[in-house]
Amino acid sequence: MKIFHILFICLSLSHLLRATELDGIVLNASNDSTTVPGAKIFLQQLAPDAQAPTQIAETISAQNGTFSFELDAVNITSTYYISTDFQGVRYFSDGLSLTAKQSLSVKLVVHDSTHSADGVDAFMHRIIIADLGNALQIRETHVLNNPRGKTITQTLQDETVGPALFKFRVLAGATNFLPISAHSAQEMVQEGDYIFDRSIFLPGQKTISFSYEIAMSQKQSIIKANAAHNARTFDVFIGSKNLSVESDQLEDYDMFSISGTQYRRYGASNVDAGTDITFTVKRSGASVPQQTPTVALAVTSVLLLVGLFWTLNKKQQAESGTQSGGKDTADRRRQLIQEIAQLDIEKKPGGDAKRRRLMDELQNIEWQRLNASKKSRRRK
């Protein structure tokens, strides 16, 4: 009986003293998910009030690509990340919320790198115009697609800016440039009539968004926008009732309702890279300046993207188990929109991967709703 008690006490103590364990593996998705040996792996901690994560441990992946960390103590209010550098790019895991005596497995996925942007196109090129009174605010959003399975790094070299991923021509005289989708002050910069994005492009989709202002007379302003990539759709949205657009290149798609807000949409399909789209913005009556706070812009951007999923019928039905109707789906849709908008504002490490997953889920919901709507119309 004494032996039993001693064993029981030892087992209890070992449980109490057990550390938090993190086990993982590094996989190269560009090479059939083969393992990556000899990679330096970092464990980082992001406190709630910190601006950047702090490295707290490091190790080397084994011959089979595996690695592990043990933490004697964790901060349940912090977020933890595992990262590694591979072919000049740092890759992060999703944020990890750890508790004491927890065991967790993590897959850290990396990709081969390339300097070639061959095959990259724009799922959509969107321009939102707001009336500021003596100026127009132009917000451009480029939803780009990288189908090659490799991470694209610098594709060009500028004498002033240095290496960059892409450049986008903006309107002459653009002022008050704001890099909305940038994760740091140096990731996206303006030089003359160009905006340079100096980030990287993982396989899949990437949203590059920025805004600027141009002078607006009391009557009209001629705008010449440039398509930096082949664009499946090129759209201009007007939210001011006193503004209208005239163009031989854009079709008037009439009013477009997004969560109760009315926009007038003008657009074109299958626009070639390098094409200039010229249109005239006309003002009728007195100017009505619009307020454009950052949070509202982020939510509006996501809502416009969601709305456009309903208008594009060229994509095949997404494979998803998401149900097409019901309160749960509607609630999840609203939650996804808010979470994506918040990620666009916070720009935390690991946010890009989470945003892509949320956007994929949101896109699946929208296509399920679209297909359900089509079936309902056919039954009628």
Side-chain angles (χ1 to χ4, degrees), residues 125-127 138-142 156 166-174 177 188-197 208 210-212 214 222-229 234 249 272-279:
H125 181 169
R126 181 180 61 238
I127 296 176
I138 310 294
R139 172 173 175 148
E140 291 198 37
T141 299
H142 303 254
L156 60 93
F166 298 126
K167 67 177 181 179
F168 304 89
R169 198 182 78 203
V170 295
L171 307 179
F177 165 68
M188 194 184 303
V189 296
Q190 179 182 8
E191 179 63 33
D193 295 337
Y194 287 92
I195 304 299
F196 291 84
D197 185 288
I208 297 176
F210 50 85
S211 69
Y212 52 90
I214 60 170
I222 299 176
I223 294 177
K224 181 182 289 185
N226 179 260
H229 300 86
F234 184 103
Q249 297 171 273
D272 293 334
T275 300
D276 287 331
I277 302 293
T278 303
F279 56 94

Side-chain angles (χ1 to χ4, degrees), residues 173-190:
T175 61
N176 296 331
F177 165 68
L178 178 64
I180 298 172
S181 63
H183 291 73
S184 68
Q186 297 302 313
E187 184 175 303
M188 194 184 303
V189 296
Q190 179 182 8

Side-chain angles (χ1 to χ4, degrees), residues 167-361:
K167 67 177 181 179
F168 304 89
R169 198 182 78 203
V170 295
L171 307 179
T175 61
N176 296 331
F177 165 68
L178 178 64
I180 298 172
S181 63
H183 291 73
S184 68
Q186 297 302 313
E187 184 175 303
M188 194 184 303
V189 296
Q190 179 182 8
E191 179 63 33
D193 295 337
Y194 287 92
I195 304 299
F196 291 84
D197 185 288
R198 303 196 289 189
S199 63
I200 62 172
F201 194 174
L202 297 171
Q205 290 186 4
K206 178 182 180 67
T207 299
I208 297 176
S209 186
F210 50 85
S211 69
Y212 52 90
E213 297 175 13
I214 60 170
M216 172 67 174
S217 68
Q218 288 301 310
K219 295 298 182 182
Q220 66 180 35
S221 181
I222 299 176
I223 294 177
K224 181 182 289 185
N226 179 260
H229 300 86
N230 293 331
R232 303 182 198 180
T233 62
F234 184 103
D235 292 289
V236 177
F237 288 92
I238 302 292
S240 305
K241 293 181 179 180
N242 65 316
L243 296 182
S244 62
V245 167
E246 291 184 0
S247 175
D248 294 332
Q249 297 171 273
L250 300 176
E251 182 178 349
D252 186 348
Y253 291 129
D254 208 345
M255 300 307 294
F256 193 81
S257 180
I258 304 293
S259 191
T261 301
Q262 293 291 315
Y263 295 86
R264 196 165 192 101
R265 179 187 170 209
Y266 305 83
S269 300
N270 300 319
V271 177
D272 293 334
T275 300
D276 287 331
I277 302 293
T278 303
F279 56 94
T280 301
V281 178
K282 292 189 173 183
R283 176 185 287 143
S284 59
S287 63
V288 183
Q290 292 177 285
Q291 298 299 320
T292 55
T294 302
V295 176
L297 277 174
V299 174
T300 299
S301 176
V302 177
L303 288 172
L304 286 170
L305 182 58
V306 169
L308 284 173
F309 285 139
W310 279 80
T311 67
L312 299 173
N313 296 308
K314 297 180 180 178
K315 184 175 179 179
Q316 296 180 347
Q317 177 178 350
E319 296 178 359
S320 173
T322 307
Q323 299 299 315
S324 59
K327 183 177 183 300
D328 291 344
T329 299
D331 290 344
R332 179 55 179 162
R333 178 177 177 271
R334 285 191 293 270
Q335 181 183 2
L336 287 169
I337 291 171
Q338 292 294 333
E339 288 184 14
I340 293 168
Q342 193 62 37
L343 284 173
D344 288 342
I345 296 168
E346 292 177 349
K347 302 181 178 65
K348 290 184 178 180
D352 286 344
K354 182 176 181 181
R355 189 186 193 281
R356 284 195 301 275
R357 286 201 312 278
L358 295 179
M359 282 300 302
D360 287 343
E361 183 180 350

Side-chain angles (χ1 to χ4, degrees), residues 32 52 59 73 97 281 322:
D32 296 326
T59 188
S97 297
V281 178
T322 307

